Amino acid sequence: SNSEYIQLLQNAGATSFDAIVHLAALSSPGFCENNASDAWKVNCPIDLLSFGAPIIYLSTDQVYEGTKSYYQEDTDETLPVNVYGRTKLAFERVLLGSNVLLSEKELGGNSTSDTGQYMPETKSIPSPNPRSTILRSSLILAGTTPLKNG
């Protein structure tokens, strides 16, 4: 679990960081659907907040519904349709300091294995470092139009 990983870091003497770059993910939608608890632990790593360092977090374009080939972060509504997208969107919201990680509509999706039961309670989440940054893969990998063949 994340708590065990954090404990290992602390036991090794890692007690403070200038920044944390979180690139890890359980990113296979099928795997996440069948292992929702693990997906929430890895993709929504609340325990990292305990270090107080800014977190640079790589998210995904799967926070959107998937009906378009390119999304505009400023104008398109987030609506993840799988566990993977929900876990990534929830941690985006954690880093933004939101009191609501996912709306009822966002929890709806097409998932049969995750109805939010693994989602952290917002009252137990420490405040994120305000210098944390979220990078969505669609914004990194694509320009104003989708990449050919990708």
Side-chain angles (χ1 to χ4, degrees):
S1 77
N2 281 351
S3 302
E4 292 166 354
Y5 181 71
I6 299 297
Q7 190 62 50
L8 286 171
L9 288 172
Q10 292 171 333
N11 290 345
T15 56
S16 67
F17 300 95
D18 293 329
I20 297 169
V21 180
H22 188 275
L23 302 176
L26 291 178
S27 59
S28 166
F31 183 87
C32 291
E33 291 297 321
N34 294 322
N35 300 277
S37 175
D38 291 335
W40 277 98
K41 289 175 189 170
V42 173
N43 298 340
C44 190
I46 301 300
D47 293 341
L48 290 179
L49 297 172
S50 65
F51 289 108
I55 296 173
I56 301 167
Y57 182 68
L58 184 61
S59 190
T60 178
D61 58 356
Q62 289 193 35
V63 299
Y64 300 108
E65 190 173 18
T67 58
K68 295 170 47 175
S69 57
Y70 184 75
Y71 288 89
Q72 298 287 332
E73 183 177 1
D74 297 338
T75 57
D76 286 316
E77 177 185 26
T78 53
L79 187 60
V81 295
N82 56 40
V83 174
Y84 174 60
R86 283 196 286 281
T87 59
K88 296 299 256 183
L89 180 58
F91 199 64
E92 285 185 20
R93 300 244 173 95
V94 166
L95 293 179
L96 294 170
S98 176
N99 291 327
V100 177
L101 299 189
L102 296 175
S103 68
E104 289 297 318
K105 182 177 179 182
E106 291 165 334
L107 274 172
N110 294 325
S111 174
T112 57
S113 63
D114 178 28
T115 57
Q117 70 266 33
Y118 303 111
M119 186 170 51
E121 293 286 330
T122 55
K123 62 184 172 197
S124 64
I125 297 175
S127 295
N129 185 303
R131 295 181 299 152
S132 294
T133 302
I134 302 159
L135 305 170
R136 283 200 185 131
S137 58
S138 61
L139 302 176
I140 297 166
L141 300 175
T144 56
T145 59
L147 297 174
K148 184 176 181 180
N149 301 324

